[in-house]
Amino acid sequence: MSSIVSSLATSSSTSFFTSSSLFLIKFKSTSPFSLPFSNFPTRKFMSHSHILARATLGLTHPSNVQPPKIAFAAKEVDVAEWKGDILAIGVTEKDLLRNDKLNFENPILSKVDSKLGGLLAEASLEEDFSGKVGQSTVLRVATGLGFGSKRVGLFGLGHSTPFKGFGEAVAAAAKSAQASNVAVIVASADGLSAESKLNIASEIVTGTTLGTFEDNRYKSESKKSALESVEIIGLGTGPELDKKLKYAGDVSSGIILGRELVNSPPNVLTPGVLAEEASNIASTYSDVFTAKILDVEQCKELKMGSYLAVAAASENPPHFIHLVYKPPSGPVNVKLALVGKGLTFDSGGYNIKTGPASSIELMKFDMGGSAAVFGAAKALGQIKPLGVEVHFIVAACENMISGTGMRPGDIVTASNGKTIEVNNTDAEGRLTLADALVYACNQGVEKIVDLATLTGACVVALGPSVAGVFTPSDDLAKEIFEASEASGEKLWRLPMEDSYWEYMKSGVADMLNTGGRQGGAIMAALFLKQFVVEKVQWMHIDLAGPVWNYKKNGATGYGVATLVEWVLRNSS
């Protein structure tokens, strides 16, 4: 089994997902600490010099496919004179109103259609284009008409304004036409406020960037996007808008990292490689980030018996990851922690996942919480907010099966001294988060948000698109919901029903790790609450539903945008 991993050179390395050089702070191992009532393997884990291990199982390595780099710019130009591959016009159903002669009443559409000799109006009628969300029609423009763009397209916005979806539709059209440059305009932008224009431009950048991205790293052949530049017309210009466009690009890059991490197979993205990725963030943004990676012996010193019990069966050793963001200048006014569940694969352990409903083949996404945390870290490394210190904490490991593994009935001891009777080895994520939350509290932070693909019960309750939120703090709930409203990610607050804790009581230990099927997501949150000190505001986000897009069969990068927005709202 030791052939599953191969050590890297200790002097330097490149990231598994990017081409930047690797940065990692190493700490000397000390003597092992023996924990009572904790089930550690008798064999030795890999030494810390082997921390950066890459799986060779299946001889699979991702290709070095770089995410799209699109230049976005805001301009004020005559749409009929703009020269390029595609002129994309976002229209609501109201924008398509026509006069008695069936000509468009909207001035933008009227101007473009006049230059095209009425072809746009004719095509929209023939194709029954009504401006509904998801509708689009793209025309190839004959060169003899004297129109600047090679193609012109109408993209439906419906009654509302889903501008992120507009950007995604534009990216799809650009891909189909192999367009390298695109101009985007909203037909009814004139009546919008300055703030609305800023937000619309930001959403278009996000949608276009994410719509262009395709994760082709594990395909033997892939086609690269030709899109190089997007000009946003009619939404203003100036430093404030430029800053908004950069922000959207920075967040999108974090979302793409989150998607790449979750999409990567568990034979490639082991706990060691996840630690390498975190260290690469610290290397790339070394002016604001530092990294600390704890090995097994160091985790034993900190008495992390709950976390290490989950990791005990795997040939790939656990890695406890701690990134710290500190602003490049000025004082720190608030300290925050983002804690992500980091199970790079979850077999269920001895309560093994079985049957078609178990989704064991998708358990690579059980580190979706850590992906959101590291995606946010990458974005914040580019944005560099002032006045805020952020700790990014992930207890990375695998939940596997072997003779050294955790068994149902075992009692493990967490780092705050509380004992846990394990009645289900498939409720392992909360065991890793227990020690991660204790560690986070010990960093002197004032607020903690943890994110985890924790329970199927939350998916049953809220479906695949909405994450469940649990917190005893109304103030923190208000902050996160305001951030999620700005990001467009869906959350729903569920109750912390204290009476349910009766189901979590053990006859032989302080608590059980599960309390039954009914109210499972609530009881999981109540479990996590036992490891957070009262003076710290804390929230648990269960993103088991929205972490994965089943229609597209890929990761969503959920959580990154909300976390970044929340941190910025806490900055000076």
Side-chain angles (χ1 to χ4, degrees):
M1 296 291 286
S2 60
S3 63
I4 291 178
V5 292
S6 58
S7 62
L8 302 179
T10 57
S11 57
S12 65
S13 173
T14 56
S15 166
F16 220 50
F17 295 91
T18 65
S19 57
S20 303
S21 60
L22 177 67
F23 168 82
L24 181 64
I25 300 176
K26 293 189 176 182
F27 292 82
K28 292 181 180 180
S29 298
T30 56
S31 58
F33 190 99
S34 179
L35 294 181
F37 310 114
S38 296
N39 184 33
F40 296 122
T42 54
R43 62 178 172 77
K44 287 187 177 180
F45 281 86
M46 286 183 149
S47 66
H48 194 53
S49 62
H50 292 256
I51 181 174
L52 302 179
R54 292 182 179 172
T56 57
L57 181 66
L59 304 178
T60 301
H61 296 284
S63 302
N64 186 22
V65 179
Q66 295 297 321
K69 293 183 179 180
I70 306 170
F72 291 91
K75 294 189 175 182
E76 295 292 345
V77 298
D78 188 332
V79 292
E81 302 299 326
W82 180 83
K83 289 180 170 56
D85 293 326
I86 300 178
L87 173 64
I89 308 173
V91 296
T92 64
E93 296 180 38
K94 185 179 178 180
D95 294 330
L96 295 175
L97 292 176
R98 293 171 168 82
N99 59 23
D100 295 340
K101 296 181 180 180
L102 298 182
N103 295 323
F104 292 119
E105 294 182 359
N106 179 276
I108 297 292
L109 296 180
S110 178
K111 185 173 187 176
V112 172
D113 201 36
S114 175
K115 191 82 172 179
L116 294 174
L119 287 177
L120 200 60
E122 182 181 335
S124 63
L125 284 172
E126 289 181 355
E127 297 185 18
D128 195 26
F129 179 85
S130 61
K132 292 180 180 178
V133 175
Q135 285 187 322
S136 64
T137 180
V138 180
L139 301 179
R140 183 72 166 88
V141 180
T143 55
L145 291 176
F147 195 74
S149 178
K150 295 178 183 177
R151 290 175 176 82
V152 60
L154 298 179
F155 296 83
L157 300 174
H159 293 292
S160 58
T161 51
F163 293 102
K164 182 180 175 183
F166 175 31
E168 291 173 344
V170 168
K175 178 184 177 183
S176 177
Q178 281 297 289
S180 62
N181 48 74
V182 174
V184 179
I185 188 168
V186 177
S188 55
D190 285 346
L192 298 172
S193 67
E195 184 180 0
S196 293
K197 289 181 179 180
L198 287 173
N199 292 332
I200 288 169
S202 175
E203 289 182 37
I204 289 172
V205 170
T206 301
T208 306
T209 303
L210 298 181
T212 303
F213 169 72
E214 287 186 72
D215 196 348
N216 294 321
R217 295 168 301 149
Y218 298 96
K219 294 181 179 180
S220 56
E221 295 181 8
S222 62
K223 197 172 186 179
K224 188 178 180 181
S225 170
L227 187 59
E228 296 177 353
S229 66
V230 175
E231 296 181 9
I232 300 173
I233 300 172
L235 294 176
T237 58
E240 191 174 1
L241 182 54
D242 291 341
K243 183 180 179 181
K244 193 76 171 180
L245 298 186
K246 180 186 180 301
Y247 174 79
D250 292 340
V251 174
S252 295
S253 71
I255 294 172
I256 287 173
L257 174 61
R259 289 182 177 182
E260 287 183 330
L261 291 173
V262 174
N263 282 338
S264 287
N267 63 319
V268 172
L269 187 71
T270 61
V273 173
L274 188 61
E276 180 184 344
E277 284 307 304
S279 297
N280 184 64
I281 292 171
S283 172
T284 305
Y285 309 106
S286 57
D287 57 329
V288 289
F289 270 107
T290 55
K292 180 191 294 185
I293 312 297
L294 303 182
D295 63 13
V296 173
E297 297 304 324
Q298 290 167 315
C299 290
K300 285 183 181 180
E301 261 193 56
L302 295 174
K303 304 182 181 180
M304 295 182 178
S306 185
Y307 162 48
L308 292 178
V310 177
S314 178
E315 285 288 323
N316 289 311
H319 295 74
F320 193 94
I321 305 163
H322 181 196
L323 291 180
V324 181
Y325 170 88
K326 291 187 178 181
S329 62
V332 170
N333 301 318
V334 63
K335 293 183 180 182
L336 312 175
L338 301 177
V339 178
K341 177 182 172 183
L343 268 292
T344 58
F345 185 74
D346 175 24
S347 70
Y350 278 105
N351 290 105
I352 190 169
K353 297 177 184 290
T354 58
S358 70
S359 299
I360 191 171
E361 72 282 359
L362 286 176
M363 283 304 108
K364 64 181 182 179
F365 73 37
D366 214 19
M367 40 63 66
S370 66
V373 166
F374 293 146
K378 179 179 180 179
L380 291 167
Q382 298 172 78
I383 298 167
K384 304 185 195 308
L386 301 177
V388 61
E389 178 177 309
V390 190
H391 296 256
F392 305 81
I393 297 165
V394 171
C397 65
E398 294 178 326
N399 185 24
M400 301 296 284
I401 300 172
S402 77
T404 63
M406 176 176 65
R407 295 152 296 207
D410 282 354
I411 294 177
V412 298
T413 306
S415 47
N416 64 348
K418 293 188 177 182
T419 58
I420 306 156
E421 181 186 359
V422 179
N423 62 350
N424 190 327
T425 61
D426 195 22
E428 84 303 327
R430 66 198 68 182
L431 295 175
T432 66
L433 288 170
D435 283 324
L437 289 169
V438 173
Y439 183 92
C441 290
N442 289 337
Q443 306 311 307
V445 300
E446 297 155 55
K447 304 173 188 178
I448 298 174
V449 175
D450 80 70
L451 301 94
T453 49
L454 206 63
T455 67
C458 201
V459 184
V460 171
L462 299 177
S465 302
V466 183
V469 167
F470 303 84
T471 179
S473 170
D474 292 338
D475 291 339
L476 183 54
K478 184 175 183 292
E479 289 182 14
I480 291 292
F481 275 92
E482 287 176 351
S484 71
E485 186 175 349
S487 72
E489 294 178 327
K490 297 178 181 179
L491 299 170
W492 191 263
R493 189 176 181 183
L494 293 168
M496 298 281 290
E497 180 55 53
D498 289 332
S499 67
Y500 288 3
W501 186 246
E502 290 296 319
Y503 299 100
M504 299 290 290
K505 290 183 177 179
S506 166
V508 291
D510 293 333
M511 68 194 81
L512 297 166
N513 72 325
T514 65
R517 292 175 60 85
Q518 295 181 338
I522 296 173
M523 284 185 271
L526 291 173
F527 177 91
L528 296 178
K529 184 183 176 184
Q530 310 307 309
F531 303 92
V532 181
V533 296
E534 287 188 10
K535 67 178 181 180
V536 175
Q537 294 184 61
W538 160 76
M539 172 181 284
H540 163 58
I541 300 178
D542 192 331
L543 44 71
V547 72
W548 191 257
N549 186 321
Y550 287 89
K551 290 181 179 179
K552 296 182 179 180
N553 197 28
T556 62
Y558 182 93
V560 173
T562 298
L563 293 181
V564 174
E565 185 70 27
W566 177 63
V567 170
L568 261 63
R569 287 166 183 257
N570 274 276
S571 67
S572 59

